[in-house]
């Protein structure tokens, strides 16, 4: 690698509302290399990408593109500098044809010029041909499958003469065959001198494709290694490496009876199939897996948002149909969703209104609002969960992430649930609030609630759970006991049957 | 599913109605009444072209009827003062464009919901006009009638011009870069922004175009009669929106074309004469129009659900 | 626009109160203006015009129907929806009522009950299309706006007007009971009921949550579709009640009853501080908005200048439309300025 790097990041820092996303990350990319970026969820990968594409400005640090320091990047300027990003969810116009989508990205010029449709089509056909894609330029984007849409995105990037191509988990939705085709495309890009930043959770892809790999953890770079010099075990170790230093609260009471039993549960629409496990009162059942493994989808089935179409849900050994969230709530199932700003709290409503929202039936049995009771409830939770706020009438949006999460939790605790599903409860939460949430969750289990804890934070799952279920591709692939080590869980999640001896 | 399924099915429905008329009421196809019908509907078609633009950008304008009345009366007053025809035409288009720009400014500039904005401008303009004119008609000079041509020639000229114009606009929407921006903005304003398009500017321009076309349509209405009345455009908005929506322009933006709007308008335009010829009372027209709008959006809704979007 | 939180410096109750207080001052100023400009003493030395008690009752009498529609629209707009069909439904219900009584030979109470039910069915049609097929309320109610009015015209063949209602029925619309116009009592009852519904029950809470974030409401286990169905159906019933009052006030039922009322009703709601984007707003604001429009409409008719122009109706329409535009612009301009000052913010989809 004699050529100078086309992209150099030095000491990049970024924080969101007090929570560090990146604390001094170095990263570089040479022309004609595939540089893999690896890390757990929340390790800072997407923030780093957003800084490169100009979607977020860094708090500190320098960005050099082609040897020049650049500041004040926006998505438009980075495109001009030759950076293209292919997201998991392609940002195309669904109602327009392939040729037109490519043209809208590439063509500039007078608004009133005549469109040369044949030329547009020819160029689209040419670009797609170079990718080996059998897509007609006349097809509308919404008729294309996800991988085909990705190919169109890549065609745009090639057409724009991109020097840096970022691929964010491009294979998440692809079949084996499509993956191979994509790999060939990436190899071609490398051959033509393009630098590729490749993000993936699948280790075998990294070994098959990448020249170097950088592992991020907790917003810091753990190290950059040539792929030829490391093996999978080392890589897994780098990813999870951190010792479980935090003191996770331990279970002190014996498990209760089985509360929730799933038998061969599935939902074709949500891509979940054949999930069976049981959940005891007082137990914290951790659910590990990669993003897109079907964990949130399973939670949505249990909460009645996408009802199951096969299998059985048994609550206290009685078969129940959870056809809507109302049905789930009525049966004592609570779900603290992953996206708290969109689903967890209504940002524009007062804290007390948010907390009482799921327990209208219980709190106001005759449908009349009892502001005194509501106030009491809210104050109780503010005290018990130590929610930092101006008072019960503060708006949900005025709180920090951790406190919003506590409000979302309080809303569901107010329903006095039997089963509590927590989806990434500490994502984007600062470390102090994280510890508090852990304590609360353990306390709830102690009080007899069955907790289903979905988390991509491996130490959290390992430290909190009494048992750990691992999901991969919509199936529950393993149930591991407490005390399992990170490598075992990660291997099950990645689909690694055996590990290379270290 | 075929891309032009909707356009084809509307054309099919139109063909069925025409066939039914041919079988049961052949009187419908006499050339003179048919030409008169086409002439009467010509201004509506012009407005429908503009409305299609606005709806494709995911907005709506229910003030076109009032814009039509205002432009018509203003143009009529100028004509009555002896302005030459070309100047009157330019004035009518400019007034329409100005009114469209007002809507565009409020919708694109202040990001207000177009339905409420245009509801307000609809009533403001209409009542303003009523206030000023007190329902008074404007008598037009003979020179304006049919552009100074004979009635038959004028009618032919009007119909042919309208068809050519609509085809031209349809072609422009497909073959001029600016036309495609309209679709891009309506499909996904955020993606358009990322692609370097200003959704605000495109939306504003769509409203101005609609206003200008409404002015043109008012002028085309003006030449058809010796008098012009202030209520000439009342209820037009519904007919135009119905035609456009029935013709497959999705109210959710980004989809549809002018051929569909043309077929949709012809379908709606045939209803009233068909009702008379088939001895159904004409009072049902409005109800049937409403029913057709509902059917069209229901079809869209069903398709969207099936497509899982 | 919704996903970006608005970290407001003051919490919303105080802000809302401010808006309503402001509107109250405007209303008072408006009233005083018309009182002094619109009241005269005629040749016989009798007070005529705006300042008379009769005129005040007249204002009340005339604002009942639009007021009812505005009350019906308040919960709908709180859920970030809209219903353009209420005016047309009023017309259809008036015709149906007339037909049931006149041609159907039903007793008045029975006809009234049936009309209320039919109005509910009309609203339920909107509700079904909006919730079951997930169609945008705007286009659905634009369709029913045409459908309902068209049905009214079809039933009457554009010509029939039902008249000759008995005196005890006209009492509702033309007489006074306990000192106030009779229909005012009905109006106040509905106003009280809607106020309680919106501000004192869990229903109102759900409406606001749905208006702010329909997905968030769904994740909180609120029955979003049922609540939406409720507000649209309720609007149908209230429109039917307004139709009966309208018929009783004029003593006749015609197909064009309530034409354009939807605009006045929407204006009253928006003027009253209910956000067209859903979530914030109050019934008190709506009532003030209704009063402001009613005073304007009637006050103009008392002004000597306008009387000479003989165009109070048009003037009122013009001013109401302009008022709506200003209220809308006023509701977003501060936000836009704030956004523009902090940073060139990305535009939301229009």
């Amino acid at each position: 690698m004699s050529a100078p790097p086309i992209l150099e990041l030095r000491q990049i820092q970024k924080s969101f509302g007090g929570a560090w996303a990146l604390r001094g990350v170095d990263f570089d990319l040479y022309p004609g290399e595939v540089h893999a970026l690896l890390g757990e969820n929340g390790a800072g990968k997407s923030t780093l990408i957003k800084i490169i594409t100009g979607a977020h400005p860094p708090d500190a640090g320098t960005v050099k593109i082609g040897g020049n320091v650049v500041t004040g990047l926006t998505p438009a300027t980075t495109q001009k500098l030759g950076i293209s990003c292919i997201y998991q969810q392609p940002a195309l116009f669904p109602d327009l044809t392939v040729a037109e989508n490519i043209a809208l990205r590439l063509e500039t010029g007078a608004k009133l010029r005549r469109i040369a449709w044949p030329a547009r089509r020819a160029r689209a056909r040419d670009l797609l041909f170079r990718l080996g894609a059998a897509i007609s330029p006349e097809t509308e984007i919404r008729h294309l499958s996800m991988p085909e849409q990705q190919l169109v995105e890549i065609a745009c990037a090639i057409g724009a003469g991109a020097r840096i191509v970022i691929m964010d988990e491009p294979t998440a939705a692809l079949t084996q065959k499509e993956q191979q085709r994509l790999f060939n495309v990436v190899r071609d890009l490398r051959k033509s001198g393009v630098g590729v930043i490749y993000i993936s959770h699948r280790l075998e892809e990294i070994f098959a494709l990448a020249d170097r790999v950088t592992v991020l953890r907790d917003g810091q770079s753990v190290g950059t290694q040539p792929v030829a010099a490391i093996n999978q075990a080392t890589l897994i170790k780098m990813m999870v490496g951190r010792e479980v230093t935090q003191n996770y609260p331990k279970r002190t009471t014996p498990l209760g009876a089985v509360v929730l039993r799933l038998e061969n549960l599935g939902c074709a629409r949500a891509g979940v199939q054949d999930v069976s496990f049981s959940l005891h009162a007082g137990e914290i059942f951790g659910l590990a897996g990669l993003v897109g493994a079907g964990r949130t989808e399973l939670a949505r089935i249990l909460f009645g948002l996408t009802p199951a179409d096969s299998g059985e849900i048994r609550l206290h050994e009685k078969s129940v149909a959870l056809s809507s969230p109302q049905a789930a709530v009525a049966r004592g199932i609570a779900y603290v969703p992953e996206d708290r700003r969109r689903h967890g709290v209504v940002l524009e409503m007062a804290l007390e209104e948010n907390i009482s929202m799921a327990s209208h039936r219980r709190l106001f049995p005759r449908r009349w609002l009892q502001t005194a009771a509501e106030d009491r409830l809210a104050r109780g939770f503010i005290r018990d969960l130590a929610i930092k706020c101006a008072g019960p009438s503060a708006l949900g949006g005025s709180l920090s992430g951790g406190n919003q999460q506590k409000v979302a939790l309080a809303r569901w605790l107010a329903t006095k649930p039997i089963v509590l599903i927590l989806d990434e409860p500490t994502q984007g939460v600062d470390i102090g609030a994280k510890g508090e949430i852990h304590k609360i969750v353990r306390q709830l289990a102690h009080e007899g609630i069955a907790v289903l804890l979905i988390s991509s934070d491996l130490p959290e799952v390992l430290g909190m759970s009494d048992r750990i279920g691992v999901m991969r591709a919509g199936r529950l692939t393993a149930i591991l006991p407490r005390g399992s080590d990170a490598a075992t869980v990660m291997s099950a999640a990645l689909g690694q049957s055996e590990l290379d001896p270290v | 599913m075929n891309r032009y399924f909707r356009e084809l099915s509307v054309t099919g429905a139109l063909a069925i109605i025409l066939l039914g008329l041919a079988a049961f009421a052949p009187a419908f196809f006499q050339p003179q009444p048919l030409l008169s019908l086409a002439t009467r509907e010509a201004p509506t078609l012009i407005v429908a072209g503009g409305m299609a633009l606005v709806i494709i950008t995911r907005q709506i304008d229910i003030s076109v009827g009032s814009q039509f009345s205002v432009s018509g009366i203003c143009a009529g007053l100028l004509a009555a003062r002896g302005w030459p025809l070309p100047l009157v035409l330019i004035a009518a288009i400019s007034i329409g464009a100005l009114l469209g720009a007002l809507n565009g400014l409020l919708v694109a500039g202040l990001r207000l919901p177009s339905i409420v904005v245009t509801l307000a401008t609809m009533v403001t303009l209409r009542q303003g006009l009523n206030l000023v004119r007190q329902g008074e008609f404007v008598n037009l000079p003979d020179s304006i009638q049919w552009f100074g041509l004979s009635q038959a020639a004028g009618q032919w000229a009007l119909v042919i011009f309208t068809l050519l114009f609509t085809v031209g606009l349809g072609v422009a929407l497909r073959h001029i870069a600016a036309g495609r921006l309209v679709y891009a903005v309506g499909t996904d304003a955020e993606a358009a922004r990322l692609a370097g398009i200003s959704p605000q500017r495109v939306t504003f321009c769509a409203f101005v175009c609609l206003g200008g076309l409404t002015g043109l349509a008012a002028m085309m209405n003006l030449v058809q009669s010796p008098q012009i009345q202030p209520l000439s455009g009342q209820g037009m908005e519904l007919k135009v929106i119905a035609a456009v929506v029935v013709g497959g322009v999705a109210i959710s933006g980004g989809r549809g074309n002018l051929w569909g709007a043309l077929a949709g308008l012809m379908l709606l335009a045939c209803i009233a004469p068909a009702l008379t010829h088939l001895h159904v009372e004409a009072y049902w027209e409005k109800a049937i129009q409403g029913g057709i709008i509902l059917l069209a959006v229901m079809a869209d809704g069903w398709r969207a659900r099936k497509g899982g979007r | 626009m919704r996903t970006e939180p608005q970290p407001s410096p003051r919490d919303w109750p105080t802000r809302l109160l401010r808006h309503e207080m402001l509107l109250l001052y405007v209303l008072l100023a408006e009233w005083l203006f018309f009182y002094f400009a619109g009241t005269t003493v005629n040749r016989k030395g009798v007070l005529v015009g705006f300042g008379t008690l009769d005129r005040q009752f007249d204002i009340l009498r005339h604002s009942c129907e639009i007021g009812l529609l505005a009350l019906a629209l308040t919960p709908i707009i709180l859920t970030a929806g809209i219903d353009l069909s209420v005016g047309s439904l009023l017309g259809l219900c008036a015709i149906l009522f007339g037909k049931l009584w006149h041609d159907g030979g039903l007793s008045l109470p029975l006809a009234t009950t049936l009309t209320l039910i039919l109005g509910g069915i009309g609203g339920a049609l909107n509700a079904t299309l909006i919730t079951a097929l997930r169609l945008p309320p705007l286009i659905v109610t634009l369709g029913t706006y045409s459908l309902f009015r068209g049905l009214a015209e079809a039933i009457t063949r554009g010509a029939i007007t039902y008249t000759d209602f008995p005196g005890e029925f006209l009492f509702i619309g033309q007489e006074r009971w306990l000192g106030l116009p009779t229909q005012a009592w009905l109006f106040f009852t509905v106003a009280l009921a809607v106020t309680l519904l919106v501000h004192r029950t869990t229903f109102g809470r759900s409406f606001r949550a749905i208006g702010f974030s329909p997905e968030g409401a769904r994740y909180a286990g609120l029955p979003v579709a049922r609540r939406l169905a409720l507000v649209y159906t309720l609007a149908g019933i209230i429109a039917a009640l307004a139709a009966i009052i309208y018929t009783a006030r004029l003593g006749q039922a015609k197909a064009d009853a309530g034409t354009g009322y939807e605009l006045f009703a929407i204006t009253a709601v928006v003027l009253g501080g209910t956000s067209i984007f859903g979530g914030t707003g109050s019934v008190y604001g709506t009532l003030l908005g209704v009063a402001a429009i009613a005073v304007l409409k009637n006050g103009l008719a008392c002004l000597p200048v306008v009387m000479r122009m003989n165009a109070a109706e048009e003037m009122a329409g013009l001013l109401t439309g302009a008022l709506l535009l200003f209220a809308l612009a006023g509701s977003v301009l501060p936000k836009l300025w704030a956004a523009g000052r902090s940073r060139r913010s990305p535009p939301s989809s229009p």
Side-chain angles (χ1 to χ4, degrees):
Chain A
M1 277 168 215
S2 49
I6 41 174
L7 175 73
E8 267 184 286
L9 305 181
R10 288 285 166 265
Q11 290 300 313
I12 298 295
Q13 295 187 3
K14 179 77 191 170
S15 67
F16 294 102
W20 284 104
L22 294 173
R23 21 186 152 191
V25 172
D26 291 344
F27 185 85
D28 52 13
L29 180 72
Y30 290 90
E33 100 168 317
V34 176
H35 193 155
L37 195 56
L38 202 60
E40 297 169 34
N41 293 77
K45 287 171 307 190
S46 48
T47 313
L48 193 65
I49 295 309
K50 282 184 177 148
I51 282 171
I52 298 173
T53 57
H56 287 324
D59 294 345
T62 54
V63 179
K64 273 191 189 174
I65 295 176
N68 306 315
V69 177
V70 287
T71 50
L73 288 174
T74 67
T77 54
T78 52
Q79 269 176 31
K80 282 207 193 82
L81 289 167
I83 298 176
S84 285
C85 186
I86 291 137
Y87 297 97
Q88 234 170 348
Q89 295 285 327
L92 298 166
F93 298 102
D95 290 330
L96 304 183
T97 64
V98 171
E100 187 154 21
N101 265 283
I102 293 176
L104 276 168
R105 288 282 183 83
L106 303 186
E107 285 177 14
T108 49
K111 293 284 172 353
L112 290 178
R113 74 185 187 283
R114 190 162 176 270
I115 289 171
W117 282 103
R120 276 189 167 184
R121 276 193 286 271
R123 178 176 50 199
R125 200 173 291 122
D126 175 48
L127 287 170
L128 291 168
F129 180 76
R130 276 165 65 189
L131 293 175
I135 303 170
S136 157
E138 279 298 278
T139 327
E140 283 170 51
I141 292 295
R142 64 203 170 91
H143 295 305
L144 295 183
S145 67
M146 200 53 91
E148 288 173 323
Q149 294 190 21
Q150 280 177 347
L151 286 173
V152 174
E153 286 264 10
I154 297 172
C156 289
I158 296 174
R163 294 181 298 156
I164 300 168
V165 174
I166 304 163
M167 295 184 167
D168 190 358
E169 299 212 36
T171 54
L174 303 197
T175 64
Q176 199 71 34
K177 214 171 166 186
E178 291 161 343
Q179 275 179 35
Q180 284 310 322
R181 204 195 292 155
L182 183 77
F183 287 178
N184 289 333
V185 170
V186 174
R187 289 192 187 108
D188 284 350
L189 285 176
R190 170 167 60 188
K191 221 177 286 169
S192 60
V194 173
V196 179
I197 302 175
Y198 192 90
I199 298 169
S200 176
H201 278 302
R202 303 188 185 179
L203 297 188
E204 70 269 20
E205 287 180 8
I206 287 166
F207 283 97
L209 207 57
D211 301 305
R212 291 191 299 158
V213 54
T214 293
V215 178
L216 287 184
R217 201 171 63 211
D218 296 331
Q220 282 170 316
S221 172
V222 183
T224 303
Q225 298 279 349
V227 168
I230 53 168
N231 59 23
Q232 295 200 347
T234 329
L235 215 48
I236 290 178
K237 217 174 192 177
M238 282 172 80
M239 280 172 74
V240 299
R242 161 183 37 164
E243 294 302 309
V244 183
T245 47
Q246 255 173 297
N247 205 2
Y248 287 98
K250 296 277 185 290
R251 177 159 59 90
T252 51
T253 44
L255 290 185
V258 170
V259 174
L260 178 74
R261 193 190 292 282
L262 308 184
E263 281 168 12
N264 307 99
L265 193 70
C267 173
R269 199 146 60 94
V272 172
Q273 40 186 327
D274 207 14
V275 173
S276 307
F277 67 89
S278 53
L279 192 58
H280 295 260
E283 184 185 30
I284 299 177
F285 186 91
L287 209 49
L290 302 175
V291 171
R295 295 170 304 164
T296 296
E297 288 73 13
L298 179 65
R300 286 172 53 93
I301 293 173
L302 292 177
F303 191 60
L305 285 161
T306 39
D309 55 17
S310 63
E312 204 177 6
I313 303 170
R314 297 174 78 85
L315 208 58
H316 288 305
E317 299 301 341
K318 268 203 313 233
S319 181
V320 292
L322 301 174
S323 54
S324 68
Q326 292 89 272
V329 174
R331 299 196 184 278
I333 293 177
Y335 174 48
V336 180
E338 182 182 5
D339 188 343
R340 67 173 161 265
R341 298 180 71 83
R342 271 179 60 208
H343 303 144
V345 267
V346 179
L347 299 173
E348 300 90 338
M349 288 179 90
L351 208 137
E352 51 187 354
E353 292 174 312
N354 267 299
I355 289 178
S356 70
M357 197 175 282
S359 30
H360 282 172
R361 282 273 173 79
R362 218 179 52 77
L363 206 55
F364 317 119
R366 316 176 96 166
R367 298 197 185 274
W368 293 108
L369 297 177
Q370 315 273 338
T371 37
E374 185 174 45
D375 192 68
R376 217 175 310 127
L377 180 84
R379 284 181 192 282
F381 278 114
I382 290 171
R383 193 185 55 236
D384 293 349
L385 305 188
I387 300 171
K388 288 190 200 76
C389 62
S393 56
L395 292 186
S398 69
L399 304 183
S400 72
N403 285 305
Q404 278 177 11
Q405 190 64 34
K406 287 182 186 171
V407 172
L409 197 58
R411 168 191 290 177
W412 289 106
L413 295 184
T415 64
K416 303 240 186 281
I418 303 167
V419 177
L420 176 64
I421 307 168
L422 301 170
D423 198 348
E424 306 285 2
T426 59
Q427 201 174 70
V429 165
D430 63 272
I431 200 84
K434 200 166 166 177
E436 289 175 43
I437 290 174
H438 288 154
K439 254 187 228 125
I440 295 165
V441 172
R442 180 46 82 187
Q443 175 60 28
L444 295 172
H446 182 69
E447 286 164 13
I449 298 177
V451 179
L452 186 63
L453 173 69
I454 299 171
S455 176
S456 300
D457 183 348
L458 214 42
E460 177 176 279
V461 177
L462 294 172
M464 290 295 296
S465 312
D466 296 318
R467 281 186 300 156
I468 302 159
V470 184
M471 285 190 79
R472 181 163 55 88
R475 291 166 181 277
L476 190 68
T477 50
I479 298 182
L480 304 167
R482 181 177 190 108
S484 304
D485 65 347
T488 320
V489 174
M490 192 49 103
S491 309
L494 295 166
Q496 240 52 45
S497 47
E498 48 193 324
L499 287 170
D500 299 315
V502 183
Chain B
M1 200 178 296
N2 192 308
R3 257 175 81 187
Y4 297 107
F5 175 78
R6 182 58 168 279
E7 285 78 8
L8 291 175
S9 55
V10 173
T11 316
L14 179 64
I16 290 171
I17 289 193
L18 291 178
L19 278 177
L21 281 168
F24 299 105
F28 176 76
F29 290 98
Q30 284 166 0
Q32 193 48 49
L34 209 55
L35 182 63
S36 299
L37 176 67
T39 322
R40 265 205 313 280
E41 297 298 338
T44 321
L45 183 59
I46 296 284
V47 180
M51 184 63 82
L53 270 178
V54 166
I55 295 185
I56 290 170
T57 60
R58 212 179 206 157
Q59 305 291 350
I60 200 161
D61 187 345
I62 55 174
S63 69
V64 283
S66 299
Q67 293 178 32
F68 185 87
S69 306
V70 170
S71 317
I73 289 289
C74 291
L77 286 171
L78 293 177
R81 286 206 182 161
W83 282 37
L85 187 67
L87 278 183
V88 176
L89 179 67
I90 290 169
I93 295 175
S94 315
I95 290 164
L98 210 64
L99 296 176
L102 174 69
N103 282 330
L105 210 63
L106 290 164
V107 173
L110 298 186
R111 291 174 210 164
L112 291 167
S114 52
I115 179 75
V116 188
V117 165
T118 55
L119 184 67
T121 47
M122 166 174 97
V123 171
T124 312
L125 291 178
R126 177 186 299 163
Q127 301 292 8
L129 191 64
N130 287 349
L131 186 66
V132 177
R133 298 295 304 165
Q134 298 284 315
E136 208 181 314
F137 285 40
V138 180
N139 290 313
L140 299 170
D142 289 342
S143 60
I144 283 283
Q145 283 274 301
W146 304 113
F147 314 105
L149 304 168
S150 73
Q151 178 169 352
Q155 283 183 331
W156 279 111
L158 214 57
V159 171
I160 290 170
F161 168 78
T162 305
L163 284 179
L164 284 181
F165 190 88
T166 306
V167 170
L169 195 61
V171 169
L173 209 51
R174 170 130 185 92
H175 291 284
I176 299 290
R180 305 315 293 171
L181 298 186
V182 175
Y183 284 88
V185 168
T187 296
D188 190 338
E190 187 54 30
R193 205 178 59 81
L194 288 177
I197 304 165
S198 159
Q200 261 70 37
R201 194 179 307 162
V202 173
T203 307
F204 176 77
C205 289
F207 274 99
V208 175
C209 276
L210 172 57
L213 289 178
T214 310
L216 175 64
M219 192 63 205
M220 291 167 57
N221 182 52
L222 195 70
V223 298
Q224 294 186 23
S225 54
Q227 285 182 322
I228 186 83
Q229 54 136 334
L231 294 179
S232 54
Q234 208 153 30
M236 177 183 239
E237 58 278 351
L238 262 183
K239 190 163 189 184
V240 171
I241 292 169
V244 170
V245 171
V246 168
V249 178
I251 208 82
S252 52
R255 289 186 56 73
N257 55 46
L258 284 190
W259 320 132
L262 175 64
L265 181 63
M266 280 164 76
L267 181 69
L268 290 180
C270 285
I271 287 176
L275 288 179
T276 348
H277 282 287
L278 300 175
H279 308 291
V280 180
E281 282 157 339
Y283 308 109
W284 284 95
E285 191 185 353
K286 204 172 196 171
I288 289 174
Q289 267 180 19
I292 287 179
I293 297 182
L294 288 181
L295 278 180
V297 290
M298 276 161 70
D300 285 348
W302 249 305
R303 232 167 56 148
R305 286 197 93 176
K306 242 181 23 191
R309 275 186 51 207
Chain C
M1 199 160 273
R2 185 168 299 129
T3 48
E4 280 293 308
Q6 301 290 335
S8 86
R10 294 155 253 142
D11 52 341
W12 69 267
T14 39
R15 229 174 33 181
L16 201 70
L17 228 72
R18 270 180 197 206
H19 180 100
E20 283 156 10
M21 287 313 288
L22 205 68
L23 186 57
L24 191 63
Y25 304 143
V26 171
L27 178 63
L28 277 176
E30 189 188 8
W31 193 88
L32 287 173
F33 168 76
F34 285 123
Y35 183 82
F36 287 112
T39 317
T40 43
V41 180
N42 70 2
R43 259 167 285 151
K44 289 177 196 156
V46 182
L47 207 62
V48 293
F50 189 81
T52 60
L53 198 61
D54 277 352
R55 179 59 83 161
Q56 294 301 313
F57 281 143
D58 240 32
I59 293 176
L60 191 54
R61 204 185 286 287
H62 280 98
S63 54
C64 280
E65 293 119 40
I66 285 169
L68 282 172
L69 296 187
L71 285 173
L73 276 166
T74 307
I76 290 179
I77 295 182
L78 272 180
T79 65
I82 190 118
D83 189 344
L84 300 175
S85 72
V86 283
S88 298
L89 189 56
L90 190 159
L92 178 60
C93 285
I95 292 302
L96 288 173
F97 174 73
K99 193 162 182 71
L100 285 173
W101 172 77
H102 191 269
D103 299 349
L106 299 181
S107 71
L108 279 169
L110 195 58
T112 307
T113 316
L114 268 178
T115 307
L116 292 178
I117 292 171
L118 287 168
I121 291 173
L125 174 66
N126 284 331
T128 313
L129 292 172
I130 290 163
T131 58
L133 288 178
R134 299 207 195 122
L135 297 172
L138 160 66
I139 191 73
V140 166
T141 56
L142 192 64
T144 49
Y145 164 86
S146 179
L147 179 70
F148 293 152
R149 183 70 65 196
L151 284 176
E153 283 173 9
I155 291 170
T156 58
R157 296 194 180 81
I160 302 171
T161 303
Y162 297 101
T163 49
D164 300 328
F165 290 99
E168 68 258 33
F169 176 67
L170 300 181
F171 177 78
I172 298 174
Q174 300 173 353
E175 303 293 319
R176 287 190 204 164
W177 188 60
L178 300 182
L180 282 180
T182 321
Q183 66 261 60
W185 292 106
L186 285 169
F187 173 57
F188 289 142
T189 312
V190 175
L192 184 67
V194 174
T195 307
L196 291 176
L197 181 78
V198 168
H199 295 294
R200 291 279 180 273
T201 67
T202 58
F203 290 103
R205 216 24 111 53
S206 317
F207 301 158
R208 292 184 46 229
I210 292 167
F212 279 130
S213 163
E215 274 300 285
R218 212 158 81 90
Y219 272 84
L222 297 176
V224 175
R226 280 218 302 273
R227 292 292 174 270
L228 285 178
L230 172 74
V231 291
Y232 287 97
T233 312
L234 194 65
I237 297 172
I238 296 179
L241 180 63
I244 288 159
I245 291 176
Y246 178 96
T247 312
R249 175 167 66 86
L250 291 182
Q252 54 178 6
K254 327 178 275 187
D256 69 348
T259 307
Y261 277 19
E262 60 279 344
L263 174 89
F264 289 105
I266 292 172
T267 308
V269 176
V270 173
L271 203 61
T274 301
S275 161
I276 200 79
F277 301 107
T280 38
S282 73
V283 181
Y284 318 116
T286 298
L287 292 175
L288 287 172
V290 171
I293 291 176
V295 167
L296 177 71
K297 229 172 151 178
N298 284 272
L300 280 171
C302 301
L303 286 187
V305 189
V306 182
M307 271 160 83
R308 237 174 286 130
M309 284 172 72
N310 193 23
E313 187 81 10
E314 287 83 0
M315 194 71 163
L318 177 78
L319 286 174
T320 309
L323 209 59
L324 176 55
L325 284 179
F326 281 119
L328 279 171
S331 68
V332 295
L333 274 179
K335 240 191 272 178
L336 276 184
W337 276 326
R341 217 177 310 149
S342 68
R343 196 165 51 89
R344 295 276 300 165
S345 68
S348 60
S349 92

